[in-house]
Amino acid sequence: RMGAQIAALRAELGMTQQELGDRAGIKQPHIARIEKGAYSVGLDTLDTIATAMSAEVRIVPKNDGKNPEKPKR
């Protein structure tokens, strides 16, 4: 899922995998594996890729019923 988001943003920006790799300092085959979901990346690599696309990494809580939202005051 994360890889698909990276691929979608890269395509939206009109970048090739090679261009993204060059900007991020990551080889193109590695970018391809990340986008396919064949390789998990750490937050540091994810941040490097996001920065190369002028984006940012955010961790957003999900409400799956197990952690109900707290009432707003």
Side-chain angles (χ1 to χ4, degrees):
R1 178 183 143 154
M2 181 61 63
Q5 291 177 337
I6 291 169
L9 179 57
R10 178 184 57 73
E12 184 178 316
L13 295 171
M15 295 173 68
T16 65
Q17 288 179 344
Q18 184 66 52
E19 289 168 332
L20 175 56
D22 289 346
R23 288 185 185 193
I26 300 171
K27 294 184 179 185
Q28 181 276 328
H30 192 63
I31 295 290
R33 287 191 298 272
I34 292 167
E35 289 185 355
K36 289 179 187 174
Y39 183 79
S40 297
V41 295
L43 279 176
D44 55 340
T45 302
L46 190 56
D47 185 58
T48 299
I49 292 170
T51 299
M53 294 190 291
S54 299
E56 62 184 16
V57 177
R58 290 188 182 185
I59 299 173
V60 180
K62 79 175 184 183
N63 185 2
D64 59 4
K66 296 177 185 174
N67 298 312
E69 293 182 31
K70 294 180 181 176
K72 296 181 182 177
R73 297 180 193 197

